[in-house]
Amino acid sequence: MDELTTTDLQDLLPGIFDACGEAGAILREHFRSSELSPDTKDDGTPVTVADRGAEAVLRQRLGSLCPDFGFLGEELGASGNQRVRWVLDPIDGTRNFVDGLPWFATLIALQDDDDTVLSVIHAPVLGSAGSLGGADPGASEDIAGWTWWAVRGGGAFGAPGLPATPEDRRARRLAVSATSQLSDTFLTHGGVRHLYTTGEWEQFTRLIGEVRRTRSFGDWWGHVLVAEGRVDATIDVGIELYDIAAPGLLVQEAGGAVTMQPSSVGSKLRALTSNASVHDPVLRTLGW
């Protein structure tokens, strides 16, 4: 297969946005539904008909867009070409989705020889300020949700709603924060329970004593906030590749840094995204 150029990747974005629109419609249909009945997977995490339905639609639409590319998805596993593949998480933040909270998103990454070269993140019901109410699930795509995307070497962008093309007039280029000192760092994390159960607790408590402020924004949202320049660093543990591939490229293309490595226990991953200045001090304090 020929090497994917930046232009090739940019040309894929309108089709990916369309796929996100179809997946988002499924998620909005089931969001806060009284009939939603989640199942529990072997790893103890919830899964719903919306997760499975959204991933099936993404595979269908992306498969039509690029028939030679394979897939690695949270719900339906690996299939096809694993050298050039789509990495999919139909709902990152399924627990939020099940609890009726709007902080969930569809994550799409394209990998070429394990190098992530394109990412799209679509949060279909997130309100204009991430409010608890979110957007009306029945609202049009012009109103509901937010979308972020990045192409290797082409920058990172975000826009309200679901753009038709990357040239959408509402899109703005993202840049990480300018914070340079660990003592001034605003740190977010994926949740204290994960930090405790994966053996990262001692390192984490050492870190929170060094930074200015901490909050838990969890999952994809913390990494997007790093790319947006709203927070300085996010640590996430007990995760899988499909949780971090898309947000990681977004942060890198916004001028930030990403470290992803095996977790200290088990087979999962741990990740740090941040601006470039505080990245090494955070890693040293964590002992990663």
Side-chain angles (χ1 to χ4, degrees):
M1 185 175 296
D2 294 337
E3 182 180 354
L4 293 167
T5 67
T6 300
T7 300
D8 293 334
L9 296 169
Q10 292 280 1
D11 289 345
L12 292 176
L13 285 170
I16 302 171
F17 294 156
D18 284 345
C20 285
E22 291 197 24
I26 292 172
L27 303 190
R28 287 195 299 275
E29 176 187 355
H30 293 283
F31 182 55
R32 295 179 178 168
S33 168
S34 60
E35 299 178 359
L36 187 67
S37 180
D39 298 321
T40 301
K41 295 190 287 190
D42 291 342
D43 64 359
T45 61
V47 63
T48 71
V49 63
D51 298 77
R52 298 185 180 108
E55 184 166 329
V57 163
L58 292 173
R59 285 174 178 252
Q60 180 183 27
R61 290 301 306 271
L62 297 176
S64 297
L65 186 66
C66 300
D68 295 331
F69 296 180
F71 292 94
L72 175 65
E74 178 175 10
E75 308 307 338
L76 301 177
S79 64
N81 179 5
Q82 293 299 292
R83 188 183 76 79
V84 182
R85 64 184 181 181
W86 300 103
V87 179
L88 308 176
D89 191 344
I91 307 180
D92 191 48
T94 300
R95 285 193 174 93
N96 285 341
F97 178 81
V98 170
D99 290 340
L101 301 174
W103 298 294
F104 61 87
T106 294
L107 311 184
I108 300 173
L110 179 61
Q111 289 195 321
D112 187 356
D113 275 339
D114 295 326
D115 181 29
T116 302
V117 295
L118 177 152
S119 72
V120 175
I121 299 171
H122 179 55
V125 304
L126 192 69
S128 60
S131 63
L132 268 174
D136 183 340
S140 73
E141 290 173 357
D142 289 336
I143 299 172
W146 277 78
T147 308
W148 297 266
W149 64 93
V151 167
R152 177 71 70 192
F157 299 85
L162 184 65
T165 72
E167 291 77 30
D168 190 295
R169 61 179 176 80
R170 300 167 299 177
R172 62 182 180 81
R173 189 160 188 155
L174 307 183
V176 297
S177 70
T179 301
S180 61
Q181 300 296 320
L182 185 62
S183 59
D184 293 328
T185 295
F186 183 2
L187 172 77
T188 76
H189 55 86
V192 293
R193 183 174 183 273
H194 285 307
L195 289 158
Y196 185 78
T197 59
T198 55
E200 307 286 349
W201 188 250
E202 182 178 348
Q203 302 95 307
F204 173 67
T205 55
R206 183 167 61 243
L207 178 62
I208 62 175
E210 299 291 334
V211 300
R212 174 177 65 88
R213 185 184 184 201
T214 63
R215 287 290 185 273
S216 176
F217 291 125
D219 303 311
W220 63 282
W221 187 223
H223 303 297
V224 167
L225 291 174
V226 171
E228 287 265 3
R230 311 299 181 188
V231 304
D232 305 311
T234 289
I235 58 174
D236 214 356
V237 300
I239 60 174
E240 302 282 359
L241 178 63
Y242 43 72
D243 297 310
I244 190 60
L249 181 64
L250 192 79
V251 170
Q252 289 176 323
E253 287 298 319
V258 178
T259 291
M260 180 176 64
Q261 56 189 220
S263 179
S264 56
V265 295
S267 60
K268 293 183 181 285
L269 302 171
R270 61 188 186 187
L272 166 68
T273 63
S274 72
N275 75 31
S277 297
V278 303
H279 198 78
D280 286 344
V282 172
L283 285 176
R284 286 194 297 268
T285 306
L286 285 171
W288 288 9

